[in-house]
Each structure stands twice: as C-alpha cells, then as structure tokens.
Amino acid sequence: MSEKRIFLSPPHLSGFERQFVEDAFDSNYIAPLGPQVDAFEREFSEYTGIKYCVALSSGTAAMHIALRELGVGPGDEVIASSLTFIGSVTPVVFLGADLVFLDCDRKTWNMNPELLKRALEDGERKGRLPKAVIPTDLYGQCADYETIFSLCKPYDIPVIVDAAESVGAKYKSNRLQHSEEQDVEVHAGKGAKAAVFSFNGNKIITTSGGGMLASDDSRLIERARFLSQQAKEPFPYYEHAEIGYNYRMSNVLAGIGRGQLKVLDERVRQRRAIFNYYEKSLKDVPGIEFMPEAEYGRCNRWLSAVVISPEKFGSTNNDILNAFEKNNIEARPIWKPMHLQPVFQSNNGSKACSTKVYGGEISEDLFNRGLCLPSGSAMSCSDMDRIVDIILTCNNK
C-alpha cells in the first residue's frame, strides 16, 4: 500500500486562518469568547443572510439549546429525518422527548413532505402535535423548505433546519421572501425558526470542531448566548437562576472559522466540480446512480454520493468500499437511518426514547446500496482518476 492515502473529506486550509489565529494569541484571548468569536458570528450572519448567530462548541450543542428554548421536554414529540447523523436527534433525547422519524423521498434524499403531512394530521387527530420539526439537509442539499414550512405553519410548529452539512448551499424561493417576483436564492437554513450548522473537521469549512446557531429571532439567539455561558446572571459574582451549559466556541477556533469562511464559495465550486468529474467519468456505467440535485436548490456537494445496483454493476457498494480500503482510500456508506439504529429499536432494553417511523424503505435502500466517495476539495485530477479506476475494476458486468 505505497500510494498516499486519500481521505473522505479532510480539512482544506485557505492560508487566511494563520493571521486570525495569531491575532487571537496576540490578544491573549484563548478561552471561549473574544474578538474572533464576535467577528465570526457577524461575518457568518452577513454571508448567510440570517440576522443573528451564536458560535458554539458543536452543531449538536446548537441543536440542544434551540430545542430547549422551544420548550421541548418530557412528554413531547419531535419529528425528524431518519436519514441523518445521530447528532441531529440526540438533543431530543437529552431533553426527555420522543422521536418520530420520517423517511426521505427519491427525488432529493431529504425529508418526504407527504409523510410530514400525514404525521401532522395524525398528531392533530390524536391531540399530540410535535413540538418541533427537524429536517436534515442531507450531504449539502437543502430540504424542501417551502413545503415543510407551509405544512407546519397552520399548526404553529417551529422548524429547526439541521444545516450541519449544507454550509454554502442555496435554496431558490420567492415565497420565503414574501414576493411574487422571480425566484431568489437564499442560504441554507434561511426562513426557519432556527438553523444549526457544523464546522467539524470533515465539513466543507471547519473550525476543527464547532457549530453555529442562526436565527432571525433575536430573542432566541440572546437566550442561546446566555445558556451557552453557564446561564450566568449579570452580577459581579457567579449567580445562576437556571442551569446552563459550557457550549461557547473558543476564540482560537473562531479565527480558523473566519479564514475558512473567506474561501467558502470556492470550496463549494471545488466540491461541485469533484461531483461533476465523477458523474461525467461514470455516467455510462450501468448500475451507478448519483444523488440527484433538487430543482429548487444548489447543493454544496459536501460529499459525492452514489447508489450501486449490483445486478447491473456486478459488485456491491461493500465490494467497492473494500477495494478502496485495499488501495489506501477512505470512503463511507451512506448514513444508517435512525429508525434502524439499535439505540432506537423497540427490542432494545436500553432504548433511548419512544419512537415512531413513517415509511423507511427508501432510506433503508439508500443505506444498503449507497456509498460516499472521497470529496475533499484539495483533491487532484489524478486522485479522482485513481478513484474512478478502482470503481471500474469492480464492474464485473
């Protein structure tokens, strides 16, 4: 195994980060809070068009605080995408609420609005409407916000968009802007009660670890800021009237985020170019289907995802995965749906919470046949050719 390892989605530094981090050291603001955090929040708000932002230690922390501020607690239900990363839904468990998982649709791989409609009607009929709805923007593709918002609005149910994977992605909308004019592009998460972003080490931009809670609701963000700093009351001594968290982002990490944000548009272009390269190279190979792009948006293509039909291709996704590993290449199956996770199974004696699922067949199929290809924005054409060649060697038809 002499060739260099190709990682799934490694960090890609811009060169701007060093100056911001040095500024943080020079200012001696090393712990959470400081001028780099303030600037990162302001610049992220300007980039996304979402009015208020608070930088936190992770996307999961952002989701936790958002749900708490919406009053989610024991006896409540929260509707969420099943095809997602577990950090999207564990905060529901932290707060003692129950989960309703919705399958995705084939057109977008995101939350199926028809299933959401059915779940809301069932909840109304039973007198137990959800306290919140959490659609995930899978692999950098926005969920169908307008439809989801319009379904939730009559019930006054807030939507928290899990935009952890969709920094830099866009959604085309005129209804979100209350305009009859031609569709305009808005950033992922815009228009929701709140949006949660992640800057984990494998994301399209990174702070090594960190997240952001963004909202047009100033009070929600003010409360999140307060709770994320141990809910310390405004006294010269430490006084606490409620329990908070140590969830704020480090000033040093915020400096990294500022440097990454400067090249976000370029990173989206690079990721989309990688996806297009794979698609062009493999478009004539039977049994390989690429994740579709929704007509209403522009995916950031954080990860290039494919689905393999073994009867047409001649090998399975696991065969390709094994071939990659033998050749020092990291790839990953598509997310295992939450409704299949042992921690949420009814036959598990330590089941995390009460759960229900609507559908499930599509997300199960995507998991069983899907594969995320290496998608790092610093990849070279020779790297991609190496990946394509290994896929073709697995084509036994």
Side-chain angles (χ1 to χ4, degrees):
M1 201 182 289
S2 57
E3 291 191 90
K4 72 170 186 177
R5 185 158 179 80
I6 299 176
F7 292 96
L8 178 73
S9 182
H12 185 186
L13 297 180
S14 68
F16 295 109
E17 298 89 355
R18 186 178 298 276
Q19 183 59 57
F20 293 125
V21 171
E22 287 179 355
D23 289 346
F25 277 99
D26 290 343
S27 70
N28 206 33
Y29 279 98
I30 303 301
L33 306 182
Q36 298 298 327
V37 175
D38 296 341
F40 187 35
E41 290 171 348
R42 182 177 64 253
E43 290 162 6
F44 194 80
S45 176
E46 291 169 354
Y47 182 89
T48 61
I50 304 174
K51 290 181 181 178
Y52 309 102
C53 294
V54 57
L56 301 169
S57 56
S58 68
T60 305
M63 183 65 75
H64 186 193
I65 286 184
L67 289 169
R68 173 172 161 173
E69 269 311 288
L70 293 178
V72 173
D76 292 327
E77 283 188 342
V78 173
I79 291 177
S81 301
S82 185
L83 193 60
T84 189
F85 174 64
I86 196 167
S88 178
V89 299
T90 47
V92 177
V93 180
F94 299 164
L95 293 165
D98 298 325
L99 280 158
V100 179
F101 294 122
L102 303 189
D103 202 358
C104 56
D105 61 37
R106 288 281 182 190
K107 295 185 296 182
T108 68
W109 295 16
N110 278 323
M111 180 181 282
N112 186 329
E114 289 299 315
L115 295 180
L116 175 59
K117 182 174 185 291
R118 191 198 312 170
L120 292 174
E121 290 172 348
D122 287 349
E124 182 180 34
R125 187 169 58 253
K126 296 173 183 176
R128 195 186 184 196
L129 285 166
K131 205 67 179 269
V133 171
I134 307 173
T136 293
D137 293 345
L138 193 76
Y139 298 134
Q141 175 147 274
C142 295
D144 187 355
Y145 297 160
E146 283 192 350
T147 304
I148 291 170
F149 295 166
S150 65
L151 288 170
C152 292
K153 187 175 180 180
Y155 302 103
D156 198 27
I157 297 170
V159 176
I160 304 176
V161 171
D162 173 10
E165 302 169 11
S166 59
V167 179
K170 299 295 177 65
Y171 183 92
K172 298 173 185 175
S173 171
N174 58 32
R175 278 181 283 166
L176 287 177
Q177 301 296 307
H178 308 289
S179 168
E180 297 302 323
E181 299 175 2
Q182 186 176 3
D183 286 355
V184 295
E185 281 192 339
V186 297
H187 191 273
K190 177 68 175 175
K193 179 65 174 179
V196 168
F197 299 93
S198 172
F199 310 116
N200 193 32
N202 63 0
K203 294 300 189 290
I204 194 164
I205 61 170
T206 182
T207 58
S208 84
M212 190 79 75
L213 179 63
S215 175
D216 290 328
D217 184 338
S218 61
R219 184 184 178 283
L220 188 151
I221 296 301
E222 287 169 8
R223 281 285 299 166
R225 198 180 304 279
F226 171 72
L227 290 173
S228 69
Q229 295 167 220
Q230 298 287 19
K232 180 184 177 297
E233 299 292 340
F235 295 103
Y237 47 87
Y238 284 88
E239 178 153 313
H240 308 275
E242 57 186 307
I243 297 297
Y245 314 98
N246 183 17
Y247 277 175
R248 282 297 252 150
M249 180 180 284
S250 151
N251 197 53
V252 175
L253 299 190
I256 298 173
R258 293 184 70 196
Q260 291 274 284
L261 192 58
K262 281 185 172 292
V263 294
L264 176 52
D265 288 339
E266 177 61 21
R267 296 293 180 262
V268 172
R269 283 193 290 271
Q270 289 165 323
R271 299 265 179 161
R272 288 179 62 84
I274 289 166
F275 179 93
N276 292 339
Y277 194 99
Y278 285 141
E279 190 173 44
K280 182 178 179 181
S281 301
L282 298 167
K283 63 181 176 63
D284 295 326
V285 179
I288 298 181
E289 300 172 62
F290 283 80
M291 179 180 178
E293 184 164 50
E295 61 182 13
Y296 55 69
R298 183 168 65 92
C299 183
N300 69 12
R301 296 300 187 191
W302 168 52
L303 295 181
S304 294
V306 298
V307 174
I308 306 299
S309 298
E311 68 280 5
K312 297 178 182 178
F313 182 73
S315 298
T316 67
N317 56 337
N318 287 325
D319 293 330
I320 299 173
L321 195 65
N322 292 334
F324 279 152
E325 194 54 46
K326 288 177 182 177
N327 287 274
N328 210 18
I329 294 171
E330 181 186 22
R332 177 195 290 164
I334 283 172
W335 296 124
K336 183 174 184 177
M338 290 299 103
H339 71 273
L340 296 182
Q341 296 292 344
V343 73
F344 295 124
Q345 292 291 307
S346 59
N347 58 358
N348 183 349
S350 58
K351 185 178 178 183
C353 66
S354 175
T355 60
K356 289 184 282 194
V357 60
Y358 286 76
E361 297 82 5
I362 295 175
S363 55
E364 290 172 22
D365 179 56
L366 293 175
F367 166 64
N368 288 329
R369 298 193 294 125
L371 188 66
C372 295
L373 305 178
S375 305
S377 48
M379 286 174 61
S380 65
C381 287
S382 62
D383 290 334
M384 289 183 282
D385 284 338
R386 184 176 148 199
I387 291 160
V388 168
D389 287 345
I390 291 170
I391 293 173
L392 292 176
T393 64
C394 295
N395 181 11
N396 296 320
K397 284 290 186 179

Short mmCIF file of all heavy atoms in Angstrom, two decimals, residues 63 67 70 77-81 102 111 116 120 130-136 148-149 151-152 157-162 192 194:
data_model
loop_
_atom_site.label_atom_id
_atom_site.label_comp_id
_atom_site.label_asym_id
_atom_site.label_seq_id
_atom_site.Cartn_x
_atom_site.Cartn_y
_atom_site.Cartn_z
N MET A 63 -28.18 22.49 18.41
CA MET A 63 -29.49 21.86 18.35
C MET A 63 -30.09 21.72 19.75
O MET A 63 -31.29 21.96 19.96
CB MET A 63 -29.39 20.50 17.68
CG MET A 63 -30.72 19.78 17.49
SD MET A 63 -31.84 20.63 16.35
CE MET A 63 -31.05 20.21 14.78
N LEU A 67 -33.67 23.51 20.80
CA LEU A 67 -34.82 22.72 21.23
C LEU A 67 -35.25 23.08 22.65
O LEU A 67 -36.44 23.16 22.96
CB LEU A 67 -34.50 21.23 21.14
CG LEU A 67 -34.39 20.65 19.73
CD1 LEU A 67 -33.81 19.24 19.77
CD2 LEU A 67 -35.74 20.65 19.03
N LEU A 70 -37.26 26.17 22.66
CA LEU A 70 -38.61 25.97 22.13
C LEU A 70 -39.49 25.19 23.11
O LEU A 70 -40.64 24.89 22.80
CB LEU A 70 -38.54 25.23 20.79
CG LEU A 70 -37.88 26.02 19.65
CD1 LEU A 70 -37.83 25.18 18.39
CD2 LEU A 70 -38.60 27.33 19.40
N GLU A 77 -43.22 15.29 21.52
CA GLU A 77 -42.68 14.59 20.35
C GLU A 77 -41.99 15.60 19.45
O GLU A 77 -42.41 16.76 19.36
CB GLU A 77 -43.78 13.89 19.56
CG GLU A 77 -44.27 12.60 20.17
CD GLU A 77 -45.22 11.85 19.26
OE1 GLU A 77 -45.78 12.46 18.31
OE2 GLU A 77 -45.42 10.65 19.50
N VAL A 78 -40.94 15.14 18.78
CA VAL A 78 -40.25 15.93 17.77
C VAL A 78 -40.13 15.08 16.52
O VAL A 78 -39.74 13.90 16.59
CB VAL A 78 -38.85 16.36 18.25
CG1 VAL A 78 -38.07 17.03 17.11
CG2 VAL A 78 -38.96 17.32 19.44
N ILE A 79 -40.50 15.65 15.38
CA ILE A 79 -40.38 14.96 14.09
C ILE A 79 -39.02 15.27 13.49
O ILE A 79 -38.57 16.42 13.48
CB ILE A 79 -41.49 15.40 13.13
CG1 ILE A 79 -42.86 14.88 13.62
CG2 ILE A 79 -41.22 14.91 11.71
CD1 ILE A 79 -44.03 15.34 12.77
N ALA A 80 -38.34 14.24 12.96
CA ALA A 80 -37.01 14.43 12.39
C ALA A 80 -36.80 13.51 11.20
O ALA A 80 -37.49 12.49 11.06
CB ALA A 80 -35.94 14.15 13.45
N SER A 81 -35.84 13.86 10.37
CA SER A 81 -35.43 12.99 9.27
C SER A 81 -34.81 11.73 9.84
O SER A 81 -34.03 11.79 10.80
CB SER A 81 -34.40 13.69 8.39
OG SER A 81 -34.91 14.89 7.85
N LEU A 102 -39.11 10.32 9.92
CA LEU A 102 -39.72 10.32 8.59
C LEU A 102 -38.71 9.87 7.55
O LEU A 102 -37.54 10.26 7.58
CB LEU A 102 -40.22 11.72 8.21
CG LEU A 102 -41.23 12.40 9.14
CD1 LEU A 102 -41.75 13.67 8.48
CD2 LEU A 102 -42.38 11.47 9.49
N MET A 111 -36.17 14.77 3.74
CA MET A 111 -37.47 14.51 4.36
C MET A 111 -38.60 14.59 3.35
O MET A 111 -38.71 15.55 2.59
CB MET A 111 -37.72 15.53 5.49
CG MET A 111 -39.05 15.35 6.20
SD MET A 111 -39.33 16.59 7.51
CE MET A 111 -38.30 15.93 8.82
N LEU A 116 -44.55 13.97 6.13
CA LEU A 116 -44.71 15.01 7.15
C LEU A 116 -46.18 15.40 7.27
O LEU A 116 -46.71 15.54 8.38
CB LEU A 116 -43.85 16.23 6.81
CG LEU A 116 -44.01 17.44 7.74
CD1 LEU A 116 -43.66 17.08 9.18
CD2 LEU A 116 -43.16 18.61 7.24
N LEU A 120 -48.36 15.01 10.69
CA LEU A 120 -49.02 16.15 11.34
C LEU A 120 -50.52 15.92 11.47
O LEU A 120 -51.12 16.25 12.51
CB LEU A 120 -48.74 17.43 10.54
CG LEU A 120 -47.28 17.92 10.56
CD1 LEU A 120 -47.11 19.11 9.63
CD2 LEU A 120 -46.82 18.28 11.96
N PRO A 130 -46.40 17.65 17.23
CA PRO A 130 -44.98 17.73 17.61
C PRO A 130 -44.62 19.13 18.10
O PRO A 130 -45.21 20.12 17.68
CB PRO A 130 -44.25 17.39 16.32
CG PRO A 130 -45.21 17.77 15.23
CD PRO A 130 -46.56 17.45 15.78
N LYS A 131 -43.62 19.18 18.96
CA LYS A 131 -43.14 20.46 19.48
C LYS A 131 -42.21 21.15 18.49
O LYS A 131 -42.03 22.36 18.54
CB LYS A 131 -42.41 20.23 20.80
CG LYS A 131 -42.38 21.42 21.74
CD LYS A 131 -43.76 21.75 22.26
CE LYS A 131 -43.74 22.93 23.23
NZ LYS A 131 -43.57 22.52 24.62
N ALA A 132 -41.62 20.37 17.57
CA ALA A 132 -40.72 20.92 16.55
C ALA A 132 -40.56 19.89 15.44
O ALA A 132 -40.83 18.70 15.62
CB ALA A 132 -39.37 21.26 17.15
N VAL A 133 -40.11 20.38 14.28
CA VAL A 133 -39.78 19.52 13.14
C VAL A 133 -38.34 19.82 12.74
O VAL A 133 -37.95 20.99 12.60
CB VAL A 133 -40.74 19.77 11.95
CG1 VAL A 133 -40.25 19.03 10.71
CG2 VAL A 133 -42.15 19.34 12.31
N ILE A 134 -37.54 18.76 12.56
CA ILE A 134 -36.13 18.91 12.21
C ILE A 134 -35.84 18.21 10.88
O ILE A 134 -35.57 17.00 10.85
CB ILE A 134 -35.21 18.31 13.29
CG1 ILE A 134 -35.54 18.87 14.68
CG2 ILE A 134 -33.74 18.57 12.95
CD1 ILE A 134 -34.77 18.18 15.80
N PRO A 135 -35.89 18.93 9.77
CA PRO A 135 -35.45 18.33 8.50
C PRO A 135 -33.94 18.48 8.35
O PRO A 135 -33.36 19.52 8.69
CB PRO A 135 -36.18 19.19 7.45
CG PRO A 135 -36.39 20.52 8.12
CD PRO A 135 -36.44 20.28 9.60
N THR A 136 -33.29 17.44 7.88
CA THR A 136 -31.85 17.46 7.64
C THR A 136 -31.56 17.78 6.18
O THR A 136 -32.19 17.23 5.28
CB THR A 136 -31.22 16.11 8.00
OG1 THR A 136 -31.32 15.91 9.41
CG2 THR A 136 -29.75 16.05 7.60
N ILE A 148 -42.24 22.28 3.58
CA ILE A 148 -42.20 21.93 5.00
C ILE A 148 -42.72 23.07 5.86
O ILE A 148 -43.54 22.87 6.76
CB ILE A 148 -40.77 21.54 5.41
CG1 ILE A 148 -40.38 20.20 4.75
CG2 ILE A 148 -40.62 21.45 6.93
CD1 ILE A 148 -38.92 19.83 4.88
N PHE A 149 -42.29 24.30 5.56
CA PHE A 149 -42.77 25.45 6.32
C PHE A 149 -44.28 25.61 6.18
O PHE A 149 -44.99 25.90 7.16
CB PHE A 149 -42.09 26.73 5.86
CG PHE A 149 -40.60 26.80 6.10
CD1 PHE A 149 -39.83 27.76 5.48
CD2 PHE A 149 -39.96 25.89 6.94
CE1 PHE A 149 -38.47 27.84 5.70
CE2 PHE A 149 -38.60 25.95 7.16
CZ PHE A 149 -37.84 26.93 6.53
N LEU A 151 -46.51 23.38 5.58
CA LEU A 151 -47.22 22.32 6.30
C LEU A 151 -47.25 22.59 7.81
O LEU A 151 -48.23 22.29 8.49
CB LEU A 151 -46.58 20.97 6.03
CG LEU A 151 -46.78 20.38 4.63
CD1 LEU A 151 -45.88 19.17 4.42
CD2 LEU A 151 -48.23 20.00 4.40
N CYS A 152 -46.16 23.15 8.33
CA CYS A 152 -46.06 23.38 9.77
C CYS A 152 -46.75 24.66 10.22
O CYS A 152 -47.18 24.76 11.38
CB CYS A 152 -44.58 23.43 10.18
SG CYS A 152 -43.73 21.84 10.03
N ILE A 157 -46.03 25.15 14.32
CA ILE A 157 -44.94 24.27 14.75
C ILE A 157 -43.63 24.82 14.20
O ILE A 157 -43.49 25.00 12.99
CB ILE A 157 -45.16 22.83 14.24
CG1 ILE A 157 -46.44 22.25 14.84
CG2 ILE A 157 -43.95 21.95 14.58
CD1 ILE A 157 -46.85 20.95 14.21
N PRO A 158 -42.65 25.11 15.06
CA PRO A 158 -41.38 25.65 14.58
C PRO A 158 -40.54 24.60 13.86
O PRO A 158 -40.58 23.41 14.20
CB PRO A 158 -40.68 26.12 15.85
CG PRO A 158 -41.28 25.28 16.93
CD PRO A 158 -42.70 24.99 16.52
N VAL A 159 -39.80 25.05 12.86
CA VAL A 159 -38.89 24.19 12.11
C VAL A 159 -37.46 24.59 12.43
O VAL A 159 -37.09 25.77 12.31
CB VAL A 159 -39.14 24.31 10.59
CG1 VAL A 159 -38.12 23.46 9.81
CG2 VAL A 159 -40.56 23.89 10.24
N ILE A 160 -36.67 23.62 12.86
CA ILE A 160 -35.24 23.83 13.06
C ILE A 160 -34.52 23.04 11.97
O ILE A 160 -34.56 21.81 11.96
CB ILE A 160 -34.77 23.35 14.43
CG1 ILE A 160 -35.56 24.02 15.55
CG2 ILE A 160 -33.27 23.62 14.60
CD1 ILE A 160 -35.18 23.51 16.93
N VAL A 161 -33.88 23.74 11.05
CA VAL A 161 -33.20 23.07 9.96
C VAL A 161 -31.84 22.56 10.44
O VAL A 161 -31.03 23.32 10.99
CB VAL A 161 -33.00 24.01 8.76
CG1 VAL A 161 -32.09 23.37 7.71
CG2 VAL A 161 -34.35 24.34 8.13
N ASP A 162 -31.61 21.27 10.26
CA ASP A 162 -30.28 20.70 10.50
C ASP A 162 -29.47 20.95 9.24
O ASP A 162 -29.47 20.15 8.30
CB ASP A 162 -30.39 19.21 10.80
CG ASP A 162 -29.03 18.54 10.89
OD1 ASP A 162 -28.01 19.25 10.91
OD2 ASP A 162 -28.98 17.29 10.93
N ALA A 192 -36.23 29.41 8.46
CA ALA A 192 -36.65 28.53 9.55
C ALA A 192 -36.66 29.30 10.86
O ALA A 192 -36.11 30.40 10.96
CB ALA A 192 -35.70 27.34 9.65
N ALA A 194 -34.97 28.38 13.32
CA ALA A 194 -33.53 28.38 13.61
C ALA A 194 -32.86 27.40 12.67
O ALA A 194 -33.50 26.50 12.13
CB ALA A 194 -33.25 28.00 15.06
#
